[in-house]
Amino acid sequence: MRLDIISIFPEYFAPLDVSLIGKARERGTLDVRVHQLRDWAHDVHKTVDDTPYGGGPGMVMKPEVWGEAIDDVIEGGSPRMVVPTPSGRPFTQELAQELAQEPWLLFACGRYEGIDSRVMEEYSGRLRVDEVSIGDYVLAGGEVAVLVMVEAVGRLLPGVLGNAQSAVDDSFAPGAMRNLVEGPVYTKPPLWRGHEVPAVLLSGHHGNVARWRRDEAIRRTVRNRPELAAALDPATLDKHDRKL
Ligand SMILES: N#Cc1c(-c2ccc3ccn(Cc4ccc(CN5CCOCC5)cc4)c3c2)n[nH]c1N
C-alpha cells in the first residue's frame, strides 16, 4: 500500500518511522510519502491560508496551493483521498478495514479552519474522497487524525501484526466481537501486590477461558459503552446473564 500525506507540519509524521508502521515500511509493505504543502506556495512567505469568505473566525486554506500539490502528488493516478475534518463521517474499525483494502491512499491534512471546500469538490469528480472525523472533540488540525488512521489501517495489512489473529479478534470488527469492547488482560506474575489473576485464566480449560473472556467483554461493554450493548443480541446478554 502506498500512503501519501500532505501537511504543513510533515514533522508530525516522524512516529511513522517506528514500531509496527516503521517495520512495515522497512519491509516494503507500506510506502509512506510525506509532502510539505508549502512547497507548492510560490510567494516569498509560502502562504497557504487566507481570510474566510462570509467572515468568521480564523483562516481557511487556499485552494490553489492544495490543487497544485495534489495534482503533483497523484500524477494522474487515482488514490482514495481521505480528508480529516471535525464535520466528517465517523472513522470506525469498519472504515479502517475498508481503507486497508485500498492500494493507494492520499491524506490531506488541513489546519486553521480547514481546507477551501472547492478542493474536495474538485477531486470528488476524479477520486473517491472521504471526509472523516476520528471523534467528537476538536483538534487543531488533521495530522493527529491521520496518525490515528494510518495506525488503525496499517495494523490490518498482511504481515504487519505479528499475530494476525489479534486483528481478527479486534473489538468493533465485524464477527464475534462486533459491538463488544475487549475484556481485561493479564500476564505473569500470577500474584502482584496482592492482586491475583482470575483463576479461570490459569485453568488451561480453553472453553471456560473463552466463555469468561466473552462475559467480561459483555460486562465492560454494558458498563462503558451502553450504546453498543444496546445493539447486542438480547440472547447474548441473557446467556451471559447481563441485563441492560
Ligand atoms: N478528523 C478530525 C478532527 C478534527 C480536525 C481535522 C482537521 C482539521 C483541519 C483544521 N482543523 C481545526 C478546526 C477546528 C474547528 C473547526 C470547526 N469550526 C467551525 C466554525 O467555527 C470555527 C470552528 C474546524 C477546523 C481540523 C480539525 N478535529 N476533531 C476531529 N475529530
Side-chain angles (χ1 to χ4, degrees):
M1 176 187 278
R2 176 178 164 178
L3 294 181
D4 283 281
I5 303 170
I6 304 175
S7 166
I8 60 171
F9 294 122
E11 53 274 24
Y12 250 95
F13 299 100
L16 298 183
D17 293 331
V18 300
S19 186
L20 292 178
I21 304 300
K23 289 185 174 54
R25 294 175 75 177
E26 284 168 19
R27 282 199 300 269
T29 304
L30 262 180
D31 171 11
V32 179
R33 307 177 192 190
V34 183
H35 310 273
Q36 169 52 271
L37 177 67
R38 294 192 191 277
D39 290 349
W40 287 276
H42 306 305
D43 64 302
V44 68
H45 298 298
K46 299 284 184 186
T47 306
V48 296
D49 63 305
D50 205 334
T51 52
Y53 275 127
M59 304 291 272
V60 173
M61 300 191 95
K62 295 168 65 65
E64 309 98 312
V65 183
W66 274 104
E68 285 192 36
I70 294 170
D71 286 348
D72 276 3
V73 168
I74 68 177
E75 295 177 302
S78 302
R80 185 163 175 175
M81 183 169 162
V82 179
V83 186
T85 170
S87 57
R89 67 185 280 209
F91 180 68
T92 61
Q93 188 66 17
E94 196 169 353
L95 180 53
Q97 287 176 334
E98 189 183 315
L99 295 178
Q101 306 307 312
E102 296 287 346
W104 185 9
L105 297 175
L106 166 64
F107 290 98
C109 294
R111 277 274 153 173
Y112 309 102
E113 298 308 318
I115 302 170
D116 185 302
S117 288
R118 290 171 292 180
V119 174
M120 282 63 81
E121 195 178 307
E122 160 74 2
Y123 290 98
S124 293
R126 311 180 227 171
L127 310 175
R128 169 94 189 249
V129 179
D130 296 272
E131 295 186 75
V132 178
S133 169
I134 62 166
D136 293 337
Y137 37 80
V138 180
L139 303 170
E143 285 79 8
V144 167
V146 169
L147 282 171
V148 165
M149 290 190 269
V150 167
E151 180 153 315
V153 170
R155 67 186 288 280
L156 296 174
L157 299 179
V160 174
L161 270 188
N163 168 11
Q165 185 61 32
S166 182
V168 171
D169 296 341
D170 272 347
S171 298
F172 314 111
M177 286 297 285
R178 187 171 187 79
N179 291 323
L180 278 178
V181 296
E182 71 287 351
V185 290
Y186 301 87
T187 187
K188 295 185 279 297
L191 177 66
W192 175 73
R193 294 188 183 181
H195 303 283
E196 292 180 337
V197 171
V200 66
L201 298 180
L202 308 177
S203 69
H205 192 298
H206 299 304
N208 289 351
V209 169
R211 192 172 305 107
W212 180 87
R213 282 179 168 159
R214 185 160 177 81
D215 192 25
E216 287 301 308
I218 291 169
R219 184 201 307 266
R220 191 177 274 185
T221 304
V222 169
R223 184 179 68 229
N224 295 344
R225 298 295 301 274
E227 81 284 3
L228 288 180
L232 287 172
D233 177 349
T236 300
L237 293 171
D238 289 344
K239 188 166 72 173
H240 290 266
D241 190 29
R242 295 278 154 241
K243 297 286 181 276
L244 285 179

